[in-house]
Amino acid sequence: MPAKNVEETQDQFAPYRILDEQGRLIREQEMPDLSDDDLKALMHRMVYTRIWDQRALSLNRQGRLGFYAPVAGQEASMLASEFAMEKDDWLLPSYRDVPQLVWHGLPLYMAFLYSRGHFKGGSFPENLKALMPQIIIAAQCTQATGIALGLKKRGKKNVAFTYFGDGATSQGDFYEALNFAGVFKVPAVFINQNNRFAISVPVEKQTAAQTLAQKAVAAGIHGIQVDGMDPLAVYAAAKDARERAVSGKGPTLIETLTYRYGPHTMAGDDPTRYRTKELTNEWEKKDPLVRFRIFLEGRGLWSAEDEENSVNTAKSDVAAALKEADQIPKQKVTDLLKNMYETPTAPIKEQLKIYEQKEGEAQ
Amino acid sequence: MTQMTMIQAINNAMRIELDQDENVLVFGEDVAKNGGVFRATEGLYDAFGEDRVFDTPLAESGIGGLALGLALQNFRPVMEIQFFGFVFEAMDSIASQMARLRYRSGGVYHAPVTIRSPFGGGVKTPELHSDNLEGLFYECPGLKVVIPSNPYDAKGLLISAIRDNDPVLFLEHMKLYRSFREEVPEQAYTVEIGKAKVVREGTAVTLITYGAMVRATLKAAEQLGKEGIDAEIIDLRTISPLDTETITESVKKTGRAVVIQEAQKQAGIASHIIAEINDRALLYLDAPVGRVTSPDTIFPFAAAEDIWLPNETDIIQKTKETVAF
């Protein structure tokens, strides 16, 4: 018998949509169970995050923030999926997924310390179930599988959510994580945010697969592609994946089709070298904020005043967080040495003495 | 006390830890029903069940990520890498992830993971099974690297490794697995990580070594003794952190030293030890610190092991040169 045609596989992964680009419900019966307050809260988070992103870009240019990976365009993909998480679910973000961390409970000033490169930015509060942003692409995926296996062994009704980009799906760790997750049938949700570019490399150069969601087939797990500019579809997919996970049905791979308006990072990337203005314009028309705003306005749930409140809250929170970050004492080598092991080893002890003396002299 | 081989002592250590701490998990490729390719985990699956002792898919990086994730749920993973030559597949998960978890979280998280892995020459394995790669991990801040040379130390050090709240790489020399038996207490005991042991006292020269080279060095010392050279031998037992105190004390006493390792000259830790001696005891030295190593080639084809691996004769010769300098 001849091998199955690849088209037959990819046809099972057509993008799932609930809200169209004009903010109309196209799958009314699949409208997720969100209260009016929930809907408003989600919009607030998206507007707030858009403003924070704009502020972060300018603060980075002023040298008041360090490493920063822009998020504008990905608000639905990031925040509507995080909205489906419970407080005690674990979040394993990539370097771009700082907004999910903040909405999961990371104080904003700590996100800024992380950006600047201060260890206090990774000293998460005890009740925050999350890891620091992962720089090694797809390492968070295997770790999410491990955490999910741990949750399962502990008998907890919680889930590990992890995020990564389209480029990450080419990594070995991505496949290993999905595969282990399938074998151990763990409560994990793998969220692949396909923004079409890994720095300058378009997704077509990552793989000949027509969808990234179909990569779930290789692990024998559930996979779904969603319109990542549609907050309701993203939320519904994440919520469904979470429910499957806690009811023992195993992991899910979610591919969100999304776009980043800005550069890859603020470290000198120039997207005009590899992306056309037309492409960006085309995606800006799909903006998640625009369509969700129209949808909410149609239901009488969002007004210019609400929008202004969210914008102002974001601005004042960013200013306050920046001030708080500025007040954190500078790092000392002795701090770094002390954070290496539970009990300092002999070489660490020796070096602690040397640096304690240096730091004493510097005062 | 029971007579145990090193592999039995290792098995015994895991059994004790699985029994006394329900957070200990043992996993890797073929470690469960099969009991491990060297029988290191034999009987553990039957005794503790699949929840505690389980097989994984064949992917070292995935195993490393799994261990870190489990550690974050307060488990105490004891993961196995079937042969240490395969560690490159897991290099990120060990060196970039587990080793820095405590540091990058400012001490909020930690990874109490033990990574067990067999290595070492002399048993004619196929390619990439026997390579001495400990030097790579000496150079990774955040890790501890332990290499026992006998059953007693293996058990005590493995129990310490499992109880350590930071990641420990525990390397088991394949040639030592069943080559001899030794009295090993049946109950739990620990051997401190980071502490070397003077396994033979002497006055003329300090021979610093670890792993399978400890036995070869002891034999060489017997011969040297007959020829009037009284060698002191240090078994490092832990190569990271190095016990520079024991090394320095001995070198100050003897005034001469030779470092012996199975790894190639450009690998292993001999050069680091020599640098430490130069830093700490240069003015006590009557001769440059010698070293016995393998040549700087890829690990040999099986049939060439005998001409490649350092042996007693190499140790005797280099020691005589150092004494006669």
Side-chain angles (χ1 to χ4, degrees):
Chain A
M1 205 173 105
K4 202 172 176 184
N5 196 320
V6 68
E7 279 80 20
E8 287 176 45
T9 303
Q10 79 204 24
D11 286 350
Q12 300 165 28
F13 295 95
Y16 177 67
R17 293 197 171 91
I18 293 180
L19 211 54
D20 73 5
E21 289 169 25
Q22 282 73 44
R24 290 178 300 226
L25 270 183
I26 50 175
R27 271 201 185 87
E28 194 145 8
Q29 69 286 4
E30 292 184 35
M31 172 71 196
D33 184 22
L34 287 165
S35 69
D36 287 352
D37 283 347
D38 288 339
L39 291 167
K40 290 178 75 168
L42 181 52
M43 183 64 187
H44 166 70
R45 291 179 180 201
M46 300 208 308
V47 173
Y48 183 113
T49 304
R50 175 69 59 88
I51 296 302
W52 151 25
D53 184 71
Q54 289 166 0
R55 292 291 299 130
L57 260 62
S58 93
L59 289 164
N60 169 280
R61 291 198 184 100
Q62 295 162 28
R64 299 193 67 195
L65 284 182
F67 173 74
Y68 187 72
V71 300
Q74 298 189 202
E75 291 87 351
S77 168
M78 291 176 162
L79 305 175
S81 54
E82 195 282 325
F83 208 74
M85 290 178 70
E86 298 288 327
K87 193 176 175 301
D88 286 336
D89 287 345
W90 274 78
L91 169 64
L92 288 93
S94 83
Y95 53 86
R96 197 179 303 280
D97 303 305
V98 178
Q100 295 96 304
L101 268 178
V102 169
W103 291 112
H104 202 51
L106 181 72
L108 193 55
Y109 83 94
M110 287 179 73
F112 290 170
L113 287 172
Y114 169 76
S115 165
R116 288 175 177 181
H118 192 299
F119 77 88
K120 289 277 185 196
S123 307
F124 286 5
E126 204 184 328
N127 58 358
L128 173 61
K129 304 280 190 273
L131 275 186
M132 299 68 73
Q134 181 56 252
I135 293 293
I136 302 300
I137 289 169
Q140 69 271 35
C141 298
T142 58
Q143 294 168 8
T145 297
I147 286 182
L149 181 59
L151 292 167
K152 184 179 174 179
K153 282 184 180 294
R154 296 286 185 209
K156 292 196 176 150
K157 289 286 172 202
N158 286 108
V159 179
F161 280 71
T162 187
Y163 291 83
F164 45 98
D166 38 297
T169 62
S170 300
Q171 290 275 8
D173 270 355
F174 163 73
Y175 287 101
E176 292 185 25
L178 259 58
N179 191 50
F180 275 55
V183 167
F184 295 119
K185 219 172 183 190
V186 300
V189 179
F190 297 92
I191 301 176
N192 172 230
Q193 303 188 83
N194 177 0
N195 65 21
R196 307 202 51 76
F197 288 88
I199 307 190
S200 67
V201 177
V203 67
E204 293 76 21
K205 294 204 172 172
Q206 295 293 342
T207 177
Q210 293 298 300
T211 73
L212 299 177
Q214 77 195 61
K215 291 182 181 255
V217 174
I221 68 168
H222 197 64
I224 179 174
Q225 187 188 62
V226 298
D227 179 348
M229 307 302 254
D230 171 356
L232 295 181
V234 170
Y235 175 81
K239 188 80 179 166
D240 181 58
R242 188 185 184 282
E243 274 161 20
R244 289 174 50 81
V246 290
S247 61
K249 290 179 184 152
T252 302
L253 171 64
I254 299 174
E255 175 193 9
T256 67
L257 297 171
T258 184
Y259 198 77
R260 61 170 157 85
Y261 302 149
H264 163 67
T265 67
M266 295 304 287
D269 177 46
D270 173 11
T272 63
R273 290 168 76 109
Y274 55 84
R275 284 192 323 209
T276 61
K277 185 99 188 97
E278 291 73 46
L279 184 67
T280 302
N281 287 345
E282 188 190 308
W283 277 90
E284 277 172 352
K285 283 184 202 140
K286 303 179 196 218
D287 194 287
L289 272 64
V290 172
R291 75 174 78 172
F292 203 42
R293 190 181 289 122
I294 297 169
F295 169 76
L296 293 179
E297 281 169 353
R299 299 193 156 207
L301 296 174
W302 199 253
S303 64
E305 199 188 337
D306 291 320
E307 183 94 6
E308 205 183 315
N309 281 341
S310 292
V311 169
N312 290 337
T313 310
K315 285 182 178 167
S316 66
D317 283 4
V318 167
L322 211 56
K323 214 176 211 176
E324 202 170 349
D326 288 343
Q327 282 160 2
I328 297 299
K330 283 185 181 159
Q331 301 167 99
K332 293 180 293 190
V333 175
T334 49
D335 296 328
L336 307 181
L337 284 164
K338 283 174 195 162
N339 287 339
M340 287 302 300
Y341 300 95
E342 181 178 46
T343 312
T345 59
I348 297 280
K349 274 187 201 151
E350 230 176 60
Q351 292 163 42
L352 269 168
K353 266 189 198 160
I354 296 167
Y355 284 94
E356 270 161 7
Q357 196 185 342
K358 278 192 187 184
E359 288 162 7
E361 283 164 6
Q363 273 170 10
Chain B
M1 296 286 254
T2 318
Q3 287 278 320
M4 288 190 203
T5 60
M6 193 166 95
I7 197 91
Q8 287 168 335
I10 287 166
N11 179 280
N12 185 238
M14 280 188 276
R15 182 179 285 271
I16 286 171
E17 290 309 285
L18 278 161
D19 198 43
Q20 69 89 29
D21 183 351
E22 61 180 18
N23 294 313
V24 173
L25 302 175
V26 171
F27 55 91
E29 297 159 8
D30 309 290
V31 302
K33 277 189 185 165
N34 191 42
V37 291
F38 290 104
R39 305 283 168 261
T41 54
E42 185 152 83
L44 302 181
Y45 172 86
D46 288 336
F48 298 97
E50 190 164 18
D51 233 25
R52 309 284 308 283
V53 180
F54 54 94
D55 287 324
T56 65
L58 204 166
E60 286 76 16
S61 188
I63 294 170
L66 199 72
L68 188 143
L70 286 164
L72 285 161
Q73 291 307 311
N74 302 318
F75 285 103
R76 201 168 273 283
V78 182
M79 61 172 263
E80 180 180 301
I81 293 186
Q82 200 159 65
F83 292 95
F84 203 49
F86 311 163
V87 75
F88 292 99
E89 298 286 345
M91 197 76 185
D92 176 68
S93 66
I94 298 170
S96 306
Q97 304 295 331
M98 288 173 205
R100 55 199 293 147
L101 184 63
R102 185 183 290 278
Y103 172 88
R104 68 192 289 260
S105 66
V108 171
Y109 297 129
H110 64 278
V113 179
T114 302
I115 303 145
R116 287 186 42 250
S117 191
F119 80 109
V123 290
K124 301 216 170 3
T125 59
E127 267 192 298
L128 279 164
H129 283 58
S130 300
D131 294 53
N132 299 265
L133 302 170
E134 68 276 12
L136 296 172
F137 294 87
Y138 175 87
E139 297 192 358
C140 293
L143 276 185
K144 294 174 185 169
V145 185
V146 171
I147 306 182
S149 71
N150 58 71
Y152 180 89
D153 284 350
K155 177 173 171 179
L157 284 165
L158 184 52
I159 292 177
S160 293
I162 295 171
R163 293 180 186 179
D164 201 293
N165 281 330
D166 289 302
V168 179
L169 181 57
F170 190 85
L171 296 177
E172 304 165 4
H173 200 292
M174 282 183 273
K175 203 180 170 188
L176 299 175
Y177 267 157
R178 292 185 175 83
S179 57
F180 63 101
R181 285 173 189 276
E182 201 176 66
E183 289 289 323
V184 176
E186 277 161 61
Q187 70 278 20
Y189 64 91
T190 57
V191 170
E192 193 183 344
I193 292 175
K195 281 275 176 282
K197 189 180 180 191
V198 176
V199 291
R200 185 188 195 279
E201 291 200 13
T203 52
V205 58
T206 302
L207 306 181
I208 302 154
T209 188
Y210 58 101
M213 286 294 122
V214 173
R215 298 265 287 173
T217 305
L218 280 164
K219 281 186 193 158
E222 261 176 55
Q223 181 59 37
L224 287 163
K226 285 177 197 159
E227 298 179 37
I229 298 171
D230 183 21
E232 177 145 307
I233 300 176
I234 295 175
D235 178 357
L236 291 171
R237 305 195 291 191
T238 297
I239 65 147
S240 179
L242 270 180
D243 182 356
T244 51
E245 201 180 321
T246 300
I247 295 170
T248 310
E249 216 172 279
S250 176
V251 172
K252 281 182 179 173
K253 182 176 82 178
T254 62
R256 296 171 197 271
V258 178
V259 186
I260 299 130
Q261 68 178 21
E262 188 177 301
Q264 294 91 333
K265 190 176 183 189
Q266 72 186 78
I269 55 161
S271 54
H272 294 290
I273 294 170
I274 294 168
E276 292 292 343
I277 295 171
N278 287 344
D279 280 353
R280 294 164 199 272
L282 188 69
L283 297 180
Y284 294 84
L285 288 177
D286 296 319
V289 180
R291 53 182 141 169
V292 176
T293 71
S294 294
D296 284 333
T297 73
I298 300 293
F299 194 89
F301 298 102
E305 274 189 338
D306 293 347
I307 56 160
W308 190 88
L309 290 166
N311 58 29
E312 264 174 73
T313 314
D314 300 321
I315 300 166
I316 291 168
Q317 191 188 331
K318 180 51 81 178
T319 307
K320 283 182 180 171
E321 274 174 35
T322 304
V323 170
F325 179 83

